[in-house]
Amino acid sequence: MAAKWIEQKKRYRKYKARIKELPENYRSSIEALERYLLIFGPGQGDSVVVMLEDLAGLFEESAADQLPLREIVGDDPVEFTETFLQNYPEGQWIKRERDRLITTIDRAAGDRS
């Protein structure tokens, strides 16, 4: 368990080092996205690290291609982030709550036993 946590911490530090190398507007944007993702994203360490590494990769590739920021996140950063989050459903509290709501209503309606 401790080894797994230490490995996650190393990967998170590498992620932080990667985003430090991004241009300022990309870096400030990814930091804002990270904050949102850490609140609404998966609650499990492995899933969080993978999600952030993927986000860093997207921004690194976009910076290398000199894509304008709006071509990455679009006009609605919340919509972009919610769409991005759909790739990481494991461990999301909101997914668990949605599943619980659906199951409860299905049972109450007699759709499930």
Side-chain angles (χ1 to χ4, degrees):
M1 184 68 173
K4 184 178 177 181
W5 182 81
I6 290 169
E7 182 59 33
Q8 290 171 355
K9 190 88 170 172
K10 284 181 184 176
R11 290 173 57 196
Y12 181 75
R13 285 186 181 142
K14 283 183 182 177
Y15 155 78
K16 287 300 229 182
R18 288 170 63 189
I19 66 170
K20 270 187 176 181
E21 299 299 318
L22 291 169
E24 171 52 31
N25 61 334
Y26 282 68
R27 186 174 48 251
S28 62
S29 297
I30 202 169
E31 287 171 349
L33 292 165
E34 176 187 333
R35 177 177 165 74
Y36 187 94
L37 291 167
L38 291 178
I39 294 170
F40 295 105
Q44 298 171 342
D46 281 343
S47 298
V48 170
V49 172
V50 168
M51 176 184 67
L52 293 176
E53 290 171 339
D54 290 349
L55 186 65
L58 173 66
F59 273 72
E60 287 169 340
E61 289 177 25
S62 299
D65 294 340
Q66 299 181 340
L67 284 178
L69 193 55
R70 288 288 180 195
E71 286 196 34
I72 305 168
V73 298
D75 292 331
D76 185 352
V78 173
E79 181 181 348
F80 165 81
T81 309
E82 291 295 328
T83 301
F84 184 80
L85 267 175
Q86 291 176 6
N87 296 313
Y88 308 93
E90 187 177 325
Q92 286 187 17
W93 64 269
I94 192 71
K95 180 180 181 331
R96 286 192 305 270
E97 291 305 316
R98 286 178 181 149
D99 290 346
R100 181 178 301 168
L101 174 63
I102 291 168
T103 300
T104 301
I105 297 300
D106 285 351
R107 283 186 183 144
D111 298 340
R112 291 186 185 182
S113 53

